[in-house]
Amino acid sequence: MALSSGSKKQTLFISSLILLWYSSNIGVLLLNKYLLSNYGFKFPIFLTMCHMSACALLSYISIVILKIVPLQMINSRKQFFKISTLSVVFCCSVVGGNISLRYLPVSFNQAVGATTPFFTAFFAYLMTFKREAWVTYAALVPVVTGVVIASGGEPSFHLYGFIMCISATAARAFKSVLQGVLLSSEGEKLNSMNLMLYMSPIAVLVLLPATILMEPNMLDTIFLLGRKHKFMWLLLLVNSVMAYAANLSNFLVTKHTSALTLQVLGNAKGAVAVVISILLFRNPVTFIGIAGYSLTVIGVIVYGETKRRFK
């Protein structure tokens, strides 16, 4: 049976969204790695501030000017404080992830990042006393085991990078649980686009003094790099716009498909990012490392399926 013109347009639209989601998510990850490890740009906090500045500006344009989604207002100081708390946790997760990319290959970074469901379940239990079925927790065993195996088989293993990556993964999971707890009442709920609109400027205000204190020679070095590599400013701009596109496409894919579809795409994205990064950066991999990462991905898929069935 042939698809109608409307169905074809809808299919093409959703396919384009998924392509944007893949390219922006994988693109920002690989560009981060290239800038931080292969380019001499050793300023992960400043890089995160560039991302958040782009998110603040482009969120304003998308919501207030282009009206892609309706503007949701902050109703109280209490709600503003909750959003600020989320913004600080979000900053920690992004900065930690960017720092880890200085020391770890993308393949191992993605393997550690795949343990997000483990930390999410852990924080959900601690903060909300929410219990899952025992089979759901059992599915987390291969998630963690896979990373332990991958760590042992990673030729480029770096302890500090690993600690930063684990911290970033835990902070990302903590932010998602905290968001559900803090903005749970009907009057305080914000969609992810509006949340980004309010979180991003707060993040910039937090990251600016952190950059000045922790990356004091940043400006001199960046201008030297800018003179040496004429495309550096363009790379920074593209990288920052991609960071926003990743958040925008994340929201749009969820809106036009489902959270489950995004979860499935996310599992596949990690594998695609690993393959592309190995081809681009030619970082050494071992059979043990690949086996560990594969076990983690299988565990994440099984975890997602058991959560869906035992709701």
Side-chain angles (χ1 to χ4, degrees):
M1 186 177 174
L3 287 171
S4 66
S5 176
S7 297
K8 284 180 181 177
K9 285 182 180 177
Q10 180 69 4
T11 303
L12 182 63
F13 175 68
I14 291 173
S15 300
S16 301
L17 281 182
I18 291 171
L19 183 63
L20 174 65
W21 186 83
Y22 260 90
S23 56
S24 58
N25 274 274
I26 295 173
V28 75
L29 177 68
L30 297 179
L31 257 180
N32 282 352
K33 176 64 179 175
Y34 180 66
L35 283 166
L36 292 166
S37 287
N38 296 57
Y39 205 79
F41 188 96
K42 298 178 180 179
F43 305 106
I45 302 175
F46 176 73
L47 182 62
T48 306
M49 192 174 76
C50 289
H51 291 176
M52 292 299 102
S53 300
C55 286
L57 176 63
L58 295 173
S59 291
Y60 182 84
I61 293 170
S62 299
I63 297 173
V64 178
I65 299 173
L66 299 179
K67 302 186 188 303
I68 291 176
V69 294
L71 175 66
Q72 295 173 289
M73 302 303 293
I74 295 177
N75 299 319
S76 63
R77 286 185 181 180
K78 186 178 177 183
Q79 187 184 13
F80 176 76
F81 176 75
K82 291 176 179 180
I83 292 168
S84 300
T85 304
L86 286 173
S87 183
V88 172
V89 175
F90 182 64
C91 278
C92 293
S93 71
V94 179
V95 170
N98 286 340
I99 290 173
S100 75
L101 284 171
R102 276 193 61 191
Y103 303 98
L104 299 176
V106 172
S107 52
F108 188 55
N109 178 281
Q110 288 295 285
V112 176
T115 60
T116 302
F118 168 79
F119 289 104
T120 303
F122 175 72
F123 288 125
Y125 179 75
L126 282 185
M127 295 168 68
T128 65
F129 302 105
K130 181 184 174 184
R131 292 190 178 190
E132 306 283 356
W134 71 268
V135 286
T136 305
Y137 289 122
L140 290 171
V141 174
V143 172
V144 177
T145 305
V147 169
V148 172
I149 294 170
S151 301
E154 175 53 56
S156 306
F157 182 84
H158 190 285
L159 182 60
Y160 178 65
F162 176 72
I163 291 169
M164 285 294 101
C165 198
I166 282 284
S167 300
T169 304
R172 192 161 54 243
F174 182 59
K175 183 252 175 188
S176 67
V177 176
L178 195 62
Q179 185 175 327
V181 172
L182 293 183
L183 303 177
S184 56
S185 66
E186 207 56 47
E188 290 184 335
K189 281 183 181 175
L190 297 173
N191 63 46
S192 60
M193 292 297 295
N194 275 273
L195 188 59
M196 183 58 64
L197 172 67
Y198 294 119
M199 279 173 51
S200 302
I202 297 167
V204 173
L205 291 175
V206 171
L207 291 166
L208 182 59
T211 302
I212 293 167
L213 289 170
M214 299 175 73
E215 297 174 344
N217 301 319
M218 175 266 300
L219 279 177
D220 292 338
T221 308
I222 284 176
F223 282 117
L224 280 172
L225 282 171
R227 285 199 289 268
K228 185 179 175 183
H229 305 285
K230 57 183 178 180
F231 293 113
M232 189 200 74
W233 298 109
L234 179 62
L235 281 177
L236 262 181
L237 178 64
V238 171
N239 184 239
S240 300
V241 171
M242 273 187 171
Y244 174 72
N247 285 291
L248 174 64
S249 57
N250 188 83
F251 169 76
L252 291 174
V253 169
T254 306
K255 181 182 177 183
H256 290 282
T257 57
S258 66
L260 180 63
T261 300
L262 193 73
Q263 188 180 47
V264 172
L265 289 171
N267 294 335
K269 180 207 74 175
V272 173
V274 166
V275 172
I276 293 174
S277 71
I278 290 169
L279 293 174
L280 278 178
F281 301 114
R282 303 197 179 279
N283 54 283
V285 290
T286 62
F287 174 77
I288 294 173
I290 293 170
Y293 178 66
S294 301
L295 182 61
T296 295
V297 171
I298 291 167
V300 170
I301 293 168
V302 173
Y303 173 77
E305 184 61 22
T306 54
K307 271 202 79 171
R308 188 177 66 81
R309 289 192 179 188
F310 292 91
K311 266 187 176 179

